[in-house]
């Protein structure tokens, strides 16, 4: 009779040999090891091979696999290609017939991971033997996606998150990645349960107010937090960090050539969508989900009036820029950096289909969006030109020119989450050079007595007030033109009160607005972080 103790020792020896040590774990995480499974180690008969293939073909897809796969592929493209999240998502949605619910889910996953990436990475690193930096992008983003779901989607069972994560690892990678993914996530769940009884486990490294801890907690680069501290002060900087982490609201601008704002508001409310008129721009509708109405999420196509061109998606700050341009019927307007076209369309609407709006953009492909918007809104006074805004010339001088310059986008970083990882400090210096070239050419296009408006969606002074100061030094025939006429009496009393001004930087005060420029701050003004400047050329 065989000795049972020998069998037991053999089993222990086998299990000991099967454990994955730190070095091998690192190789698996890096995709260097593809361990053969039991069935791969022995040759199979033809029938056995066919049964394996048949089982793989018949295995039903896990619920939500397609959604999570697209989210994962989007995160990888953002990281490896520096892609824009919205463009990658839109391209993915065009290829697959996703429901509105699935689209909203994928978007929430991608934006959620990006908005919390550094914080998620810190948590993963506490349970992973391999550094995230050394992992292949597939594994790194797969773990991020899973941890975000485990921490934030309580309605999704933990076992379902692990199952779909393992299936994604298997379909896009190999069995080594499956084992490593499963091991890390199970370790994470154990640590997470322990953390509920012992909170400092995950939080201890991100509770202080030093820059590196703030960077982890708010998933923003250290250099940006330091800049905000220096320019806006520590208290306002902290408020901006909190704002940057929150999901942005939803705002549309009513197309007044098609419908009156109050009529559109009534239509929205009667259909159960709670909205209110804009504070800064009355033709905007801000959705807040108050009074029992729907808290709006998802595609704007779900809203009544979308197909009829009754509104466009646009933040109040962006709409405010066109009001500052203030075109008059019959005038010629140039929008020097037009795509995707929201401001060009607004300017054409203000002109009530008279005059001429020339939408200029360097990329013909991006002008497609302007053309689509033009057709949808039924505008006949809007034309497009593919050209470099630094060199574009018209056969006549223009009444008004808008330069909505390419910028760092820090004023919309809560919406454009890819900026968190794709933007570097050196980019601001490079962008500043482009902005100066654009405003210089814009100045050449303005006729005597005409208006030049410069705007960005940035909170950084190098891209805003410093560009204006530089331009005015070399172009003394331009002078600041007050913004106060474009701000309601109620707003002026609110924003420029003694109490409020004491907390504002000089660039956001009444004195600045009187000089023709203003930095809109999300935490103070309730809109996106735009800079707007209005200059007038001498007669």
């Amino acid at each position: 009779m065989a000795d049972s103790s020998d069998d037991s020792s053999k089993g222990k020896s086998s299990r000991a040999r099967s454990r994955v040590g730190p070095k091998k774990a690192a190789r698996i995480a890096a995709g260097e090891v593809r361990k053969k499974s039991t069935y791969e180690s022995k040759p199979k008969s033809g029938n056995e091979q066919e049964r394996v293939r048949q089982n793989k073909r018949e295995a039903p897809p896990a619920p939500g696999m397609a959604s999570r796969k697209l989210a994962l592929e989007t995160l990888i493209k953002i990281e490896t290609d520096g892609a824009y999240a919205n463009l990658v998502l839109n391209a993915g949605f065009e290829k697959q017939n996703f429901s509105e619910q699935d689209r909203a889910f994928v978007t929430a996953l991608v934006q959620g991971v990006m908005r919390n990436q550094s914080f998620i990475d810190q948590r993963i690193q506490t349970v992973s033997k391999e550094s995230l930096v050394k992992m292949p992008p597939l594994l790194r983003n797969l773990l991020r996606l899973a941890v975000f779901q485990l921490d934030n989607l309580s309605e999704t069972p933990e076992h379902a998150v692990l199952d779909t994560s393992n299936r994604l690892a298997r379909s896009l990678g190999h069995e080594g990645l499956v084992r490593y993914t499963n091991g890390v996530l199970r370790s994470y769940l154990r640590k997470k349960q322990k953390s509920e009884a012992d909170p400092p486990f995950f939080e201890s490294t991100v509770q202080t107010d030093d820059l590196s801890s703030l960077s982890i907690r708010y998933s923003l680069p250290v250099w940006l937090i330091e800049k905000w501290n220096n320019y806006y002060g520590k208290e306002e900087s902290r408020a901006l960090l909190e704002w940057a982490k929150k999901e942005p609201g939803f705002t549309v601008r009513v197309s007044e050539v098609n419908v009156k704002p109050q009529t559109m508001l009534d239509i929205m409310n009667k259909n159960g969508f709670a909205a209110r008129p804009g504070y800064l721009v009355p033709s905007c509708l801000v959705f807040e989900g108050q009074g029992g109405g729907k808290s709006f999420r998802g595609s704007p196509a779900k809203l009544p009036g979308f197909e009829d061109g009754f509104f466009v998606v646009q933040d109040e700050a962006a709409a405010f820029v066109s009001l500052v341009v203030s075109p008059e019927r019959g005038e010629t307007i140039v929008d020097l950096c037009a795509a995707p076209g929201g401001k060009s369309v607004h300017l054409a609407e203000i002109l009530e289909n008279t005059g001429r709006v020339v939408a200029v953009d360097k990329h013909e492909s991006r002008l497609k969006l302007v053309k689509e918007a033009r057709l949808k809104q039924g505008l006949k006074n809007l034309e497009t030109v593919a050209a470099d805004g630094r060199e574009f010339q018209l056969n006549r001088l223009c009444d008004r020119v808008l330069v909505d310059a390419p910028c760092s986008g820090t004023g919309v970083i809560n919406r454009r989450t890819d900026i968190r990882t794709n933007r570097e400090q050196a980019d601001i210096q490079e962008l500043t050079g482009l902005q100066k070239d654009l405003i210089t050419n814009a100045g050449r296009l303005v006729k005597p007595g005409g208006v030049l408006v410069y705007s960005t969606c940035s909170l950084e002074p190098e891209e805003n007030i410093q560009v204006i100061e530089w331009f005015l030094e070399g172009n003394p025939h331009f002078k600041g033109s007050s913004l106060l006429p474009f701000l309601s009496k109620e707003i002026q009393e609110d924003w420029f009160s003694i109490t409020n001004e004491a907390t504002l930087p000089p660039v956001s005060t009444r004195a600045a607005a009187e000089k023709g420029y203003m930095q809109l701050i999300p935490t103070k003004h309730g809109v996106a972080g735009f800079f707007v400047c209005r200059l007038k050329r001498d007669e």
Side-chain angles (χ1 to χ4, degrees), residues 6-308:
D6 289 343
D7 289 340
S8 174
S9 63
K10 287 179 182 178
K12 290 179 181 178
S13 174
S14 175
R15 286 194 296 273
R17 287 194 301 271
S18 68
R19 292 193 184 109
V20 178
K23 291 184 178 179
K24 191 167 186 179
R27 292 170 60 201
I28 291 174
E32 297 172 3
V33 174
R34 297 173 183 255
K35 184 178 177 182
K36 290 184 178 180
S37 61
T38 304
Y39 71 83
E40 288 176 325
S41 60
K42 297 178 182 180
K44 291 183 175 64
S45 67
N47 290 337
E48 287 175 323
Q49 290 175 353
E50 179 58 30
R51 278 198 298 273
V52 169
R53 285 195 295 269
Q54 187 67 25
N55 287 337
K56 285 185 177 180
R57 283 197 297 267
E58 293 177 355
M65 272 289 288
S67 300
R68 288 170 172 83
K69 183 179 179 183
L70 178 57
L72 176 59
E73 291 171 342
T74 300
L75 290 170
I76 293 172
K77 287 180 181 178
I78 291 171
E79 179 183 313
T80 59
D81 302 337
Y84 296 127
N86 61 325
L87 298 181
V88 179
L89 285 172
N90 288 338
F93 293 150
E94 287 179 3
K95 293 178 181 178
Q96 302 185 53
N97 188 25
F98 279 2
S99 67
E100 287 296 329
Q101 184 177 0
D102 286 339
R103 288 183 177 218
F105 179 62
V106 174
T107 303
L109 288 179
V110 172
Q111 299 284 19
V113 171
M114 296 299 297
R115 197 172 279 117
N116 299 278
Q117 183 170 299
S118 297
F119 187 69
I120 292 172
D121 285 358
Q122 187 268 345
R123 288 191 153 205
I124 294 172
Q125 201 59 77
T126 61
V127 293
S128 174
K129 295 176 182 178
E130 176 64 8
S131 168
L132 267 82
V133 176
K134 295 182 179 179
M135 291 181 186
L138 169 60
L139 176 59
R140 186 164 49 242
N141 287 286
L142 181 59
L143 293 175
R144 287 169 176 163
L145 189 61
V147 168
F148 173 75
Q149 293 175 83
L150 291 172
D151 283 353
N152 297 277
L153 303 185
S154 57
E155 67 275 14
T156 305
E158 293 174 347
H159 68 83
V161 175
L162 265 64
D163 179 58
T164 53
S165 299
N166 290 336
R167 288 180 179 239
L168 282 172
R170 181 172 290 111
S171 65
L172 298 174
H174 53 79
E175 287 302 315
L177 287 184
V178 177
R179 285 192 296 276
Y180 196 82
T181 298
N182 191 55
V184 169
L185 294 181
R186 290 190 179 280
S187 295
Y188 181 76
L189 284 174
R190 288 194 295 270
K191 296 291 187 181
K192 193 170 186 289
Q193 292 168 357
K194 178 181 177 182
S195 183
E196 292 173 359
D198 184 18
F201 176 78
F202 278 127
E203 309 297 338
S204 60
T205 59
V206 292
Q207 287 302 304
T208 60
D209 286 342
D210 63 275
L211 291 176
S212 60
S213 293
L214 291 173
S215 177
I216 293 173
R217 194 184 315 168
Y218 294 101
S219 295
L220 286 170
V222 168
W223 64 264
L224 182 59
I225 299 174
E226 187 174 26
K227 281 182 95 283
W228 285 356
N229 277 346
N230 293 338
Y231 190 70
Y232 292 101
K234 288 189 176 180
E235 184 177 345
E236 183 57 35
S237 175
R238 179 59 63 85
L240 286 170
L241 293 177
E242 292 288 346
W243 157 79
K245 196 166 185 177
K246 292 179 181 177
E247 183 179 355
F250 182 77
T251 303
V252 302
R253 179 184 58 74
V254 177
S255 173
E256 295 185 80
V257 297
N258 293 319
V259 63
K260 292 181 179 179
Q262 184 59 49
T263 301
M264 195 69 246
L265 177 62
D266 291 341
I267 292 172
M268 293 294 184
N269 289 336
K270 286 177 182 177
N271 281 273
F273 296 100
R276 63 166 175 82
Y279 185 51
L280 177 62
V281 180
S283 62
C284 286
L285 302 181
V286 182
F287 292 77
E288 295 184 325
Q290 295 177 349
K294 297 176 183 176
S295 177
F296 183 76
R297 280 188 173 88
S299 170
K302 294 168 61 178
L303 293 170
F306 176 80
E307 293 298 334
D308 300 305

Side-chain angles (χ1 to χ4, degrees), residues 184-454:
V184 169
L185 294 181
R186 290 190 179 280
S187 295
Y188 181 76
L189 284 174
R190 288 194 295 270
K191 296 291 187 181
K192 193 170 186 289
Q193 292 168 357
K194 178 181 177 182
S195 183
E196 292 173 359
D198 184 18
F201 176 78
F202 278 127
E203 309 297 338
S204 60
T205 59
V206 292
Q207 287 302 304
T208 60
D209 286 342
D210 63 275
L211 291 176
S212 60
S213 293
L214 291 173
S215 177
I216 293 173
R217 194 184 315 168
Y218 294 101
S219 295
L220 286 170
V222 168
W223 64 264
L224 182 59
I225 299 174
E226 187 174 26
K227 281 182 95 283
W228 285 356
N229 277 346
N230 293 338
Y231 190 70
Y232 292 101
K234 288 189 176 180
E235 184 177 345
E236 183 57 35
S237 175
R238 179 59 63 85
L240 286 170
L241 293 177
E242 292 288 346
W243 157 79
K245 196 166 185 177
K246 292 179 181 177
E247 183 179 355
F250 182 77
T251 303
V252 302
R253 179 184 58 74
V254 177
S255 173
E256 295 185 80
V257 297
N258 293 319
V259 63
K260 292 181 179 179
Q262 184 59 49
T263 301
M264 195 69 246
L265 177 62
D266 291 341
I267 292 172
M268 293 294 184
N269 289 336
K270 286 177 182 177
N271 281 273
F273 296 100
R276 63 166 175 82
Y279 185 51
L280 177 62
V281 180
S283 62
C284 286
L285 302 181
V286 182
F287 292 77
E288 295 184 325
Q290 295 177 349
K294 297 176 183 176
S295 177
F296 183 76
R297 280 188 173 88
S299 170
K302 294 168 61 178
L303 293 170
F306 176 80
E307 293 298 334
D308 300 305
F310 286 176
F311 64 84
V312 296
V313 178
Q314 192 173 43
D315 185 86
E316 282 191 86
F320 179 65
V321 172
S322 299
L323 297 186
V324 171
V325 176
S326 189
E328 298 181 3
R329 289 175 61 88
E331 290 186 333
T332 297
I333 317 295
V334 169
D335 184 354
L336 212 51
C337 308
K343 297 178 184 65
S344 294
V345 167
H346 194 186
L347 292 169
E349 290 177 5
I350 294 173
L351 286 171
E352 298 178 333
N353 250 332
T354 68
R356 181 187 184 194
V357 176
V358 183
V360 181
D361 198 271
K362 189 175 181 179
H363 303 286
E364 180 69 47
S365 59
R366 283 172 54 80
L367 287 172
K368 179 183 177 183
L369 299 171
V370 185
K371 295 174 183 177
E372 290 173 353
R374 175 183 62 190
L375 290 173
K376 191 169 188 177
Q377 306 306 119
L379 298 169
K380 299 177 182 178
N381 61 340
L382 175 57
E383 60 189 81
T384 61
V385 177
D388 189 330
R390 294 170 292 185
E391 302 171 354
F392 173 75
Q393 293 294 314
L394 206 58
N395 57 1
R396 54 169 292 183
L397 293 180
C398 309
D399 297 285
R400 301 166 200 263
V401 177
L402 168 61
V403 181
D404 185 44
C407 66
S408 62
T410 55
V412 291
I413 203 168
N414 65 331
R415 190 180 307 278
R416 287 278 314 284
T417 51
D418 45 78
I419 293 173
R420 295 169 177 269
T421 54
N422 289 348
R423 189 69 70 212
E424 298 178 359
Q425 189 168 9
D427 295 338
I428 293 181
Q429 184 176 355
E430 183 177 344
L431 285 164
T432 299
L434 172 60
Q435 291 152 1
K436 289 178 177 179
D437 289 344
L438 286 166
I439 195 172
T440 296
N441 191 45
R444 301 188 191 109
L445 297 172
V446 179
K447 74 178 186 180
V451 171
L452 168 59
V453 173
Y454 175 87

Side-chain angles (χ1 to χ4, degrees), residues 516-533:
Y517 57 84
M518 187 174 183
Q519 176 69 64
L520 296 170
I521 306 172
T523 51
K524 296 294 185 183
H525 304 117
V527 296
F530 266 67
F531 175 82
V532 185
C533 177

